[in-house]
Amino acid sequence: MKLNLLSCDAQRPDKRAIAKCIAEVSSSISESLANELTDILLEGDAVDIEVHDKNSGSALRSLRKLSIDYEIIE
């Protein structure tokens, strides 16, 4: 499943938690790339990631918990 992470609406976003979440739920993103994608997301730009299908439900819950808006592409 492909997701487009649109924005983070948290008043004080936790960059480490967001990067860790991205690295855990995505299929091929390292921790360093997750940190870069987190910075891009928090600057206001959208980020595309691919999620393992078996983890899709928990991934979406984790993103909602971190106040990240997303849209499902595929």
Side-chain angles (χ1 to χ4, degrees):
M1 170 191 322
K2 288 189 179 183
L3 295 177
N4 189 13
L5 306 181
L6 303 172
S7 64
C8 180
D9 293 335
Q11 288 185 355
R12 297 183 63 178
D14 185 350
K15 288 175 68 170
R16 282 196 322 216
I18 294 170
K20 184 179 177 184
C21 179
I22 290 173
E24 287 177 356
V25 303
S26 65
S27 55
S28 62
I29 294 180
S30 66
E31 287 184 34
S32 61
L33 181 56
N35 286 326
E36 290 179 36
L37 293 176
T38 299
D39 289 338
I40 292 169
L41 179 67
L42 294 178
E43 288 174 3
D45 295 326
V47 174
D48 292 336
I49 63 170
E50 190 163 335
V51 177
H52 298 291
D53 287 331
K54 64 180 180 176
N55 296 338
S56 60
S58 61
L60 297 179
R61 268 192 305 281
S62 298
L63 293 172
R64 284 193 299 268
K65 193 174 189 180
L66 292 168
S67 300
I68 297 175
D69 292 331
Y70 61 87
E71 67 180 359
I72 299 172
I73 298 173
E74 291 180 5

